[in-house]
Amino acid sequence: TDSHLLYWSNLKLKLKRNNISLYGKIGDRSETIFPIANNGTDTLLLRLTCKDFSIRFSEKRLRLAPGEKKDIHISSLVTRKSKITVLHLNSPGERQIHIPIEVEGSDLNTNSFSSTPPDESSSIALETEGRESITIQLESDEKLLKIKQSGKVIKNYPLSKIFNPIPIHDLPNGKYVFEISNLSTGKKRYCVVLKN
């Protein structure tokens, strides 16, 4: 990603990104690194704030000497509801800079699926607990989801995005095998979902 150079009078703040994304499984804490650098000739004093108290920073106050770079660790608890909040960067006597923080969660991700076809003893990857839909996060090459029960395909869904909402409201309660396929190689991976 291109770096963004922001000017505060004679102060120069270099940001590697102009937004922050935190992705993860619902219930986990997701963390990312936000690189920041002082490209100016004066020492830069920074204060980081966010109105969302679930967002945590490794440092809330920074002192960056000319040419100094730092990685800020930013984390958030991932909840069922996606959210966008804002990181505020403040420097004495300068305008405030606003950087969007997006937090998005999934019920299943790449690590939820195994290359071994499931059997009766396979552990359940997810219990849906009355939800109408679930979200699958995939950054791999699997592009098709088959929902199976007792070996029979119940539904097919394309997986065209990183975050894929899958409606399950019309599925009867019970155990299902979720099979994701790489259409180029034919490779498949599986997990067991309990609709309850």
Side-chain angles (χ1 to χ4, degrees):
T1 313
D2 291 338
S3 297
H4 299 270
L5 196 57
L6 304 173
Y7 291 90
W8 278 331
S9 60
N10 65 333
L11 303 174
K12 292 180 189 175
L13 177 69
K14 186 179 182 183
L15 303 178
K16 195 72 180 164
R17 293 178 287 161
N18 62 355
N19 64 0
I20 298 164
S21 298
L22 291 163
Y23 300 146
K25 275 189 82 172
I26 293 165
D28 290 350
R29 183 160 278 279
S30 178
E31 182 176 301
T32 191
I33 293 173
F34 188 67
I36 195 166
N38 180 2
N39 272 30
T41 55
D42 295 331
T43 296
L44 186 58
L45 302 174
L46 280 178
R47 190 164 56 91
L48 287 72
T49 59
C50 182
K51 289 182 180 174
D52 185 333
F53 295 111
S54 69
I55 305 287
R56 293 184 187 161
F57 310 107
S58 56
E59 297 181 64
K60 292 188 177 181
R61 293 181 185 274
L62 284 178
R63 183 185 183 90
L64 289 173
E68 188 177 2
K69 299 174 187 174
K70 268 205 174 158
D71 287 339
I72 309 300
H73 293 257
I74 300 175
S75 70
S76 175
L77 182 66
V78 180
T79 60
R80 196 154 283 145
K81 191 174 179 182
S82 299
K83 65 181 175 183
I84 294 179
T85 186
V86 177
L87 165 65
H88 304 285
L89 288 178
N90 302 280
S91 186
E94 302 291 345
R95 66 184 173 86
Q96 193 176 70
I97 291 175
H98 308 282
I99 299 169
I101 302 174
E102 179 187 22
V103 182
E104 191 156 2
S106 62
D107 299 286
L108 298 169
N109 62 19
T110 300
N111 297 330
S112 306
F113 293 85
S114 164
S115 57
T116 306
D119 56 29
E120 285 302 312
S121 64
S122 297
S123 61
I124 293 169
L126 175 70
E127 294 188 31
T128 63
E129 299 170 343
R131 276 177 294 180
E132 302 229 327
S133 68
I134 61 172
T135 301
I136 299 176
Q137 177 193 357
L138 290 175
E139 296 184 61
S140 51
D141 292 326
E142 286 98 355
K143 297 299 178 192
L144 178 67
L145 167 69
K146 290 182 179 178
I147 299 178
K148 295 180 169 182
Q149 192 173 49
S150 304
K152 181 183 171 189
V153 177
I154 309 292
K155 298 220 179 236
N156 289 309
Y157 290 102
L159 302 171
S160 56
K161 306 175 206 164
I162 293 177
F163 285 89
N164 300 275
I166 307 297
I168 57 167
H169 58 89
D170 56 347
L171 293 177
N173 285 354
K175 262 190 195 180
Y176 293 88
V177 173
F178 279 36
E179 176 189 288
I180 54 175
S181 303
N182 182 323
L183 300 177
S184 301
T185 64
K187 286 186 179 174
K188 299 174 182 177
R189 294 192 298 140
Y190 314 84
C191 75
V192 178
V193 173
L194 178 63
K195 167 86 187 294
N196 54 358

